[in-house]
């Protein structure tokens, strides 16, 4: 089904390089998510690493609300990061042409 | 380079089905991460959705430590989920044989 294995390994190498440069690009991006009208603010980079978290003092006296708002912020942030990763990966794959010769 | 497009679309359809069943499997798995010797405990499913969060009352009087321990727990948990997703995907890809006929 595939022409020859050489093309395939060449293609996979290309994928790996593109994936690494994509990861570097994503590391520079930041996403900020707020919940509870800003009482919790979570900042992540494009690889989903949390780089900052701010909790309003008021929440320190209401642990249940604090936990609920944190769970909401983390899940919203992870969804945003995953969507962005998928779009970036699609953009990357669109740029590559697995059908053309790579030599 | 590819034999014919029919094989490719068949293969992609197979990937999609496998990816969906993988996602369903991951949703059933849970991961629990503790930081600060258990003062913060975060539970996620295999798709990275937070399903539970417990914060020790003691941390409510030390916001800086609370925020640091939360950031640590979230990042550890996301790493664990990503590694598990990659292993599961590798296992899934290993099960498929893109070179063999799929009819």
């Amino acid at each position: 089904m595939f022409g020859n294995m050489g093309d395939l390994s060449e293609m996979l190498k290309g994928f790996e390089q593109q994936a690494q440069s994509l990861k570097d690009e994503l590391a520079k991006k930041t996403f900020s998510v707020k919940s509870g009208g800003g009482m919790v603010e979570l900042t992540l980079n494009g690889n989903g690493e949390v780089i900052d978290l701010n909790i309003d003092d008021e929440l320190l006296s209401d642990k249940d609300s604090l936990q609920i708002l944190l769970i909401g912020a983390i899940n919203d942030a992870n969804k945003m990061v995953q969507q962005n990763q998928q779009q970036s990966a699609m953009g990357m794959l669109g740029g590559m042409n697995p059908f053309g010769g790579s030599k």
Side-chain angles (χ1 to χ4, degrees), chain A residues 11-30:
Chain A
M11 197 176 83
L12 290 177
K13 219 171 23 174
F15 270 139
E16 268 167 33
Q17 283 160 358
Q18 289 271 25
Q20 187 52 50
S21 67
L22 176 65
K23 215 173 169 196
D24 298 341
E25 273 310 302
L26 288 170
K28 292 177 205 149
K29 281 189 178 178
T30 56

Side-chain angles (χ1 to χ4, degrees), chain A residues 60-72:
Chain A
L60 299 177
S61 54
D62 180 358
K63 190 168 96 166
D64 287 344
S65 300
L66 171 62
Q67 290 177 158
I68 289 166
L69 290 177
L70 279 166
I71 289 175

Side-chain angles (χ1 to χ4, degrees), chain A residues 41-90:
Chain A
E41 183 172 5
L42 195 64
T43 307
L44 299 93
N45 66 20
N47 289 316
E49 285 147 355
V50 178
I51 44 181
D52 198 16
L53 169 62
N54 278 297
I55 296 170
D56 189 294
D57 289 341
E58 218 181 288
L59 279 174
L60 299 177
S61 54
D62 180 358
K63 190 168 96 166
D64 287 344
S65 300
L66 171 62
Q67 290 177 158
I68 289 166
L69 290 177
L70 279 166
I71 289 175
I74 299 166
N75 284 335
D76 288 350
N78 281 343
K79 242 176 247 149
M80 194 186 279
V81 165
Q82 276 173 11
Q83 276 162 3
N84 178 68
Q85 285 175 331
Q86 278 161 8
Q87 279 159 10
S88 304
M90 286 298 169

